Amino acid sequence: MKKYKTNTESRVVISELMLPSHSNFSGKIHGGYILSLMDQIAFACASKHSETYCVTASVDKVDFLKPIEVGELVTLKASVNHVGNTSMVVGVRVESENIQTSKVKHCNSSYFTMVAKNDKGKSVPIPGLILENKTAIRRFVRSIIRKEDAVTRHNRFKDSEFELKSHLEILNKYNVKINL
């Protein structure tokens, strides 16, 4: 019998105080450090859902919305938004809190596609997902649409099907010089 889980069963939340050693040359927290934390929590969430080791297959677009300051408390929240047979999409939200003022800001969100693996590195089936509310359904459907859009975008620009002349006009608006 196939096993199913709710996304609350695998939800993970971590918090970490941002130290000077995490900062970049401008004194803000280094984006690469935040990406590393995001990958860690996505792994933890996916592994908790699948009950096995997981690897990162892809990361959807990451926009750094607001800078994170040294001394702020960063909280990352992860939950499984979508499942396939061996893969799952984990939504990750990053917030930072000024611990002196209690002001919280949304810094970024992204979607990590994680694949469950056995000890030989072979992809293995994962539990299904029980959708308990409107938010869970919205997140699941949004993941389906995002995947379909990615396939469309990839196919649209296949080298064998790309029509140069129909796209040259677009480039007139950009800071490029074409030397063909």
Side-chain angles (χ1 to χ4, degrees):
M1 179 180 246
K2 185 166 170 91
K3 185 176 184 178
Y4 290 85
K5 289 183 167 184
T6 65
N7 66 5
T8 55
E9 291 178 80
S10 53
R11 194 169 288 153
V12 178
V13 177
I14 61 171
S15 294
E16 184 174 331
L17 183 64
M18 293 295 103
L19 304 174
S21 61
H22 302 137
S23 66
N24 58 24
F25 294 110
S26 68
K28 308 297 182 195
I29 300 305
H30 195 290
Y33 185 71
I34 299 301
L35 283 172
S36 174
L37 291 175
M38 292 172 76
D39 192 48
Q40 289 175 43
I41 196 170
F43 166 82
C45 181
S47 295
K48 195 172 176 182
H49 182 82
S50 65
E51 300 173 1
T52 189
Y53 180 78
C54 292
V55 297
T56 306
S58 69
V59 180
D60 198 50
K61 182 178 173 183
V62 179
D63 289 324
F64 292 92
L65 306 173
K66 294 193 171 96
I68 300 171
E69 307 290 336
V70 171
E72 290 184 332
L73 183 65
V74 168
T75 299
L76 295 94
K77 302 172 184 177
S79 64
V80 175
N81 291 352
H82 181 272
V83 295
N85 294 319
T86 63
S87 67
M88 64 215 94
V89 174
V90 175
V92 178
R93 180 180 173 94
V94 180
E95 297 175 340
S96 68
E97 178 182 358
N98 179 313
I99 55 177
Q100 294 172 326
T101 65
S102 299
K103 183 179 179 192
V104 175
K105 59 187 174 186
H106 176 210
C107 298
N108 64 29
S109 294
S110 190
Y111 304 95
F112 286 67
T113 299
M114 309 296 290
V115 179
K117 300 285 186 175
N118 65 15
D119 56 358
K120 294 181 175 54
K122 183 173 171 25
S123 297
V124 295
I126 62 170
L129 190 61
I130 299 169
L131 304 176
E132 297 182 294
N133 54 46
K134 184 178 175 181
T135 299
I137 293 168
R138 179 179 54 82
R139 289 176 176 170
F140 196 94
V141 171
R142 184 171 47 185
S143 292
I144 293 168
I145 301 299
R146 201 173 31 258
K147 184 176 179 179
E148 290 172 353
D149 289 348
V151 170
T152 300
R153 198 169 43 252
H154 175 76
N155 290 338
R156 180 177 177 201
F157 290 98
K158 278 187 178 175
D159 191 39
S160 61
E161 299 174 17
F162 184 74
E163 294 179 18
L164 180 64
K165 286 187 180 191
S166 65
H167 290 88
L168 286 175
E169 187 67 32
I170 295 171
L171 298 176
N172 289 335
K173 298 183 242 174
Y174 293 90
N175 188 20
V176 296
K177 181 179 179 181
I178 301 170
N179 288 332
L180 295 177

